[in-house]
Amino acid sequence: MMKKLMAFLLCLTLVFNIVGCSSSDEPEPTSGTDSSSETKDKVNNTTEKEEADKVEEVVIKFPHYKTGNNVGAKFFLPQIDRFNDKYKGQYRLEVEEIVQDAYGDKIKLLYQSNKLPPMYESPDRDFLEIIKDNHTYVDLKPYIDANPEFGSTLIEESIAYNTTDSGEIVSLPYSYVRLIGAYYNKEIFSEAGINTFPQSWEDFYAACDAIQSETGKAPLALMTGENAWTLMLLTSSYMASMPEGKDILKAQEMVYDYNTAFWNDTFTFVQNMLQNYSTTSALGAGYSTAANDFFSESTAFIANGPWMIGDFSNPDKVGDGFKDKVGATIYPGGIGLGDASGSWYIISNKASQEEVEGLIEYFKFLYSPDELNAFLAAEGGFAPHVPMPEETLKQLDPVLAELNVSLEKNMTDTVPTIFAVIPKPVEEEMTKNLPLLYSGDMTPVEFCEKLTLTAQKFNK
Amino acid sequence: MKNYNKSWIYIFILPTLVIFLMFYLIPIITVFITGFTDWNGFDSPTFIGFENYELMLTYDDTFLVALVNLLKWSLVAVSVHVPFGALVAFVLYKKPFGWRFTRGVFMIPNIISISAWAIIYRFIFNDDIGLLNNFVRLIGAENFHVNWLFDPRYAFSAITLTWVFYAVIVTLLVLNDLMAIPKELHEAAYIDGATDMDIHVRINLPLVKNAIATSIILSIVSRITMFEVIYLTTKGGPGNSTYNISLMLFEGIINYEYGYANAVSTIMIILGVGVLVIINKLFKLNKATGN
């Protein structure tokens, strides 16, 4: 009898365990349908309650990819520590480590299971539309309005991008722009008889030919794997050198038809770059391979953002004195890539009011002059409404300073990258077919047809 | 049987039943139903009939390509993977010197995560720093350059090589059945003048038929669900040369087309069940097991 009773109890425990797995101990969520006036009330109440509520430290946990070996971790994690020190006893941010490639999928998964973290970034533009439709965010407008000093740092273009039709602000607008440039090995260029970076595409091709013939090295560090980042940056700048391309990029409208002369020409350029000016390792290469081609001086040029500059003096990645050989520039034709459009941190409507207040403090901290300038000095970019002190400017990394000079002197226009206009499935299809374009098994026309078919498959 | 005992049977079955319902049956039914809907995974699904299936089967050639690739991989599974695993089992059955070590080593790929395995293969097949090409260059072909995973002529074979010779499950299943064969059968055959080959072909092979059939089922179903290795190496490319149905499913998910993805899942389930039925019929498994 005892045995049977024990067996029954075991079964019961198992069933309870299974049922127990689905229970939730999440904090009471903020309502997803808060009206803006309710949010304003909360903002006003914040000041009244501030002192009373400071008894317990509010711990805010969120996943982020700027951890581990990610290039952004070098500044991001110490900054979190500085915030935690400043608000010790009041707020503490805890970052859960996740690799960048898995971040978007993780956020989508958490959203589907109704377990979004208090703060997150949108994986893509479609996701942003979905959360707008379902109002699963905290409107930031009342908080920005309540903190004019913080609000004055934000870039108008970015505020507009993040403002919904009903006037709510869905994600933290940017207060800085980081323009993507390119880096070249001055020594290899010099060996090829080129002493200044080419300013036109004709000169760029001539320089590539000279590098190949004089040094025997491949001119460009390109990649066809992942999202073909370095290749697509170069492609974006090429697109922007044509009026039609500039219009397409600036409009930031998703393209669903690639069967046009312009796109054929663009992918003919891509094929030419891959077949004639890149290394064989570009085929299927991810960013690390392309970067390594540049670091190891196998190639003379790489396109990337200013966040890469720190790696030029990283002894784990480059040889002695490598940084001195690197020059920074914008693209031929005076094109700078990037703008302030885009979403950043979103506060989930699942966050408790205390968490929302803590995150608003974090945003204010991020855009405080000291922090913002430290960030820009470390990773590049400029904040139009927060001038960088002369002292900081003098201490800028020489490569970053050179990039800034190039931007100031030679930049004629800025455009977003190609990723702003190609739907996600097209991006996937593109990288899948780039090896065929490289090998010549697919013509640019066929490539465009393939992209069009993919773009229209899920286009409603 | 007394009713008293029956109630205990039901109580003991209950946890299994609950787990089966929660983790298998309900999800399968949900997948089947939502395959007929337009659903972005977040909002409520809308019924759209067979549109997802129409999109999947008729929009472009991706389904056909995925099906052809599955067929080719299934043929490789049946003609190389399973026979190789069975052959290793027959060799190990003789307990040659170091057989335990060999069996242990043969297990290694199965205890490594598939993702790690995929990354390892990316390096093995890399043109510049890859183990394979460097070995070829070392033995004389100094100018040998093949980008195995990104050359449309070789990518399919390269992906096939990531699994085709790792057949330890087949080996263990067959070896287990081999070891269960009574020694008396072999002794009787020897007395009747049978050679080793006769014993393998006429006694051992028929008696491990079930294990081989099970291996074939497992192997083909693994090809239907094969995802990590492809996604982490070629993503189905170059072009569609290594594309498969699992990638179609993933394509639906990343495009917020969960209805479409679930229609693909339904097809995968049907294919899996189809394989199970066909192999059962071919090997007359039900008869053999006496069920």
Side-chain angles (χ1 to χ4, degrees), chain A residues 121-198:
Chain A
E121 294 177 37
S122 174
D124 50 50
R125 207 193 281 187
D126 289 337
F127 185 87
L128 198 65
E129 292 306 318
I130 289 168
I131 65 159
K132 275 185 194 172
D133 290 345
N134 293 299
H135 206 295
T136 46
Y137 58 88
V138 170
D139 175 20
L140 299 180
K141 191 170 190 322
Y143 297 99
I144 292 169
D145 290 346
N147 295 280
E149 200 179 332
F150 164 60
S152 68
T153 65
L154 307 176
I155 299 172
E156 294 73 14
E157 187 190 351
S158 189
I159 295 174
Y161 183 91
N162 284 293
T163 302
T164 63
D165 293 340
S166 59
E168 294 181 338
I169 296 180
V170 63
S171 97
L172 178 64
Y174 286 102
S175 68
Y176 63 88
V177 186
R178 284 198 295 177
L179 290 174
I180 296 170
Y183 311 96
Y184 62 103
N185 189 313
K186 289 187 273 195
E187 202 170 87
I188 299 177
F189 267 68
S190 178
E191 276 175 47
I194 307 150
N195 294 316
T196 51
F197 190 81

Side-chain angles (χ1 to χ4, degrees), chain A residues 62 79 83 87 93 118-121 138-140 143-144 147 149-151 153-154 169-173 175 344-348 355-369 371-372:
Chain A
F62 63 96
Q79 188 177 47
F83 175 83
Y87 288 90
L93 299 180
M119 181 175 76
Y120 63 97
E121 294 177 37
V138 170
D139 175 20
L140 299 180
Y143 297 99
I144 292 169
N147 295 280
E149 200 179 332
F150 164 60
T153 65
L154 307 176
I169 296 180
V170 63
S171 97
L172 178 64
S175 68
W344 197 14
Y345 287 133
I346 300 163
I347 299 183
S348 159
E355 287 174 326
V356 173
E357 286 157 16
L359 290 169
I360 296 294
E361 287 305 317
Y362 175 58
F363 294 165
K364 284 156 67 180
F365 176 79
L366 286 179
Y367 287 166
S368 62
E371 285 299 325
L372 191 56

Side-chain angles (χ1 to χ4, degrees), chain A residues 4 7-8 11 14 18 108 111-112 124 126-127 130 134 280-281 283-284 425 428 432-433 435-436 441 450 453 456-458 460, chain B residues 4 8 12 15 19 22 38 41-43 55 59-60 62 128 147 150 152 235 237-240 243 251 254-258 260:
Chain A
K4 284 176 181 172
F8 180 72
C11 289
L14 184 61
I18 291 164
K108 287 178 196 173
Y111 183 51
Q112 281 176 311
D124 50 50
D126 289 337
F127 185 87
I130 289 168
N134 293 299
T280 52
S281 63
L283 193 59
E428 294 273 331
K432 219 170 69 176
N433 286 288
L436 298 182
D441 287 305
K450 196 84 181 160
L453 205 59
Q456 290 172 359
K457 186 169 185 178
F458 295 115
K460 288 171 182 168
Chain B
Y4 175 77
W8 278 107
F12 278 105
I19 289 169
M22 279 178 65
D38 178 17
F42 306 104
D43 305 327
L55 189 68
Y59 181 77
D60 54 19
T62 48
D128 285 345
N147 206 322
F150 299 99
K235 288 194 175 181
N240 282 329
Y243 195 70
E251 187 187 47
I254 60 163
N255 291 311
Y256 303 99
E257 294 290 346
Y258 282 71
Y260 174 86

